[in-house]
């Protein structure tokens, strides 16, 4: 995989800012279909856009990332929260690494609900809390997808849970509700650092997290038609 394809997106990035000429379509470098409950990993170069599309609606996309140049640097929810002074991430936010470097910027978010507080699901979650053995998990998905890059399970950091509906209540507790995402909704990240990215279409089907029905995600890696700088 990894072949560059000649398919072009039908719509240019609307956030590229004023330009002398109308921007052309973004070039789609790669498309990855992630079946519900499974995961994938891919490289994203600085400047490229990563689109995460909720194909059927109500699906959470857990995402982790590592700096390609050094695997001891990774995308960090803790450092991002500290930099933002906020418990969620919205359009315009930069997402930071554990070395306090910006790795991504959110440039589009159709759903507008993201969780950067909770952990990913893992086999212990299903075994201890639901009495289910052998259930797929986001941690399993990341482990399998990142193995070709030499990244082990223990290295996987806490995820950004895009599209997750975890409302924060006035008493500072937070919920776990059915996502509001509709079929075709997307979140777009501008990559600011060469990265190895992994996305999991969360397999959780025992609580409202994915509307009790894990469903597929589409990942598209795009080359912007014009330099946004
Ligand atoms: Zn999960």
């Amino acid at each position: 995989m990894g072949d560059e394809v000649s398919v072009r997106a039908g719509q240019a990035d609307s956030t590229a800012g004023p330009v002398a000429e109308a921007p052309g379509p973004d070039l789609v470098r790669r498309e990855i279909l992630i079946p519900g409950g499974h995961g994938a990993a891919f490289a994203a170069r600085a400047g490229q856009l990563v689109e995460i599309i909720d194909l059927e609606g109500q699906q959470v996309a857990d995402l982790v990332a590592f700096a390609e140049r050094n695997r001891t640097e990774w995308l960090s929810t803790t450092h991002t929260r500290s930099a933002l002074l906020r418990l969620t991430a919205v359009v315009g936010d930069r997402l930071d690494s554990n070395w306090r470097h910006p790795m991504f910027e959110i440039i589009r978010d159709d759903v507008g609900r993201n969780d950067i507080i909770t952990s990913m699901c893992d086999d212990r979650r299903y075994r201890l809390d639901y009495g289910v053995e052998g259930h797929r998990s986001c941690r399993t998905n990341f482990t399998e997808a990142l193995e070709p890059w030499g990244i082990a399970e223990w290295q996987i950091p806490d995820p950004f849970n895009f599209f997750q509906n975890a409302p924060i209540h006035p008493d500072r507790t937070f919920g776990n509700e059915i996502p509001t995402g509709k079929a075709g909704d997307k979140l777009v990240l501008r990559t600011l650092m060469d990265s190895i990215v992994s996305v999991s279409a969360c397999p959780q089907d025992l609580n409202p997290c994915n509307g009790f029905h894990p469903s597929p995600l589409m990942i598209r890696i795009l080359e912007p038609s014009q330099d946004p700088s």
Side-chain angles (χ1 to χ4, degrees), residues 62 120-122 126 137-139 200-204 209-210:
D62 286 38
M120 69 185 74
C121 63
D122 52 37
Y126 295 103
S137 70
C138 286
R139 194 160 194 87
S200 169
C202 179
Q204 176 59 271
C209 184
N210 301 293

Side-chain angles (χ1 to χ4, degrees), residues 44-50 65 67-69 73 75 92-97 101-107 189-195 197 228-229:
R45 303 288 172 202
Q48 291 183 328
L49 308 181
V50 176
E68 187 168 47
R69 68 187 174 197
E73 181 169 20
L75 185 64
D93 284 347
R94 290 192 164 192
L95 313 182
D96 289 344
S97 75
H101 297 138
M103 291 184 73
F104 300 94
E105 177 184 357
I106 301 176
I107 64 171
L189 300 171
R190 175 172 287 128
T191 308
L192 305 176
M193 177 192 299
D194 290 353
S195 298
V197 184
S229 60

Side-chain angles (χ1 to χ4, degrees), residues 117-133:
I117 301 174
T118 60
S119 59
M120 69 185 74
C121 63
D122 52 37
D123 61 349
R124 296 171 194 83
R125 166 77 163 140
Y126 295 103
R127 186 170 66 249
L128 298 175
D129 294 344
Y130 299 96
V132 176
E133 296 283 351

Side-chain angles (χ1 to χ4, degrees), residues 137-204:
S137 70
C138 286
R139 194 160 194 87
T140 303
N141 289 341
F142 290 133
T143 301
E144 292 175 355
L146 290 167
E147 192 276 334
W149 276 278
I151 296 170
E153 178 181 355
W154 66 267
Q155 296 174 278
I156 297 169
D158 287 336
F160 283 69
N161 301 309
F162 294 121
F163 307 141
Q164 184 159 323
N165 189 4
I168 300 167
H169 305 306
D171 66 356
R172 299 188 181 184
T173 61
F174 52 88
N176 179 18
E177 301 182 4
I178 292 176
T180 58
K182 302 181 299 296
D185 281 348
K186 67 173 66 170
L187 180 135
V188 184
L189 300 171
R190 175 172 287 128
T191 308
L192 305 176
M193 177 192 299
D194 290 353
S195 298
I196 299 160
V197 184
S198 188
V199 175
S200 169
C202 179
Q204 176 59 271

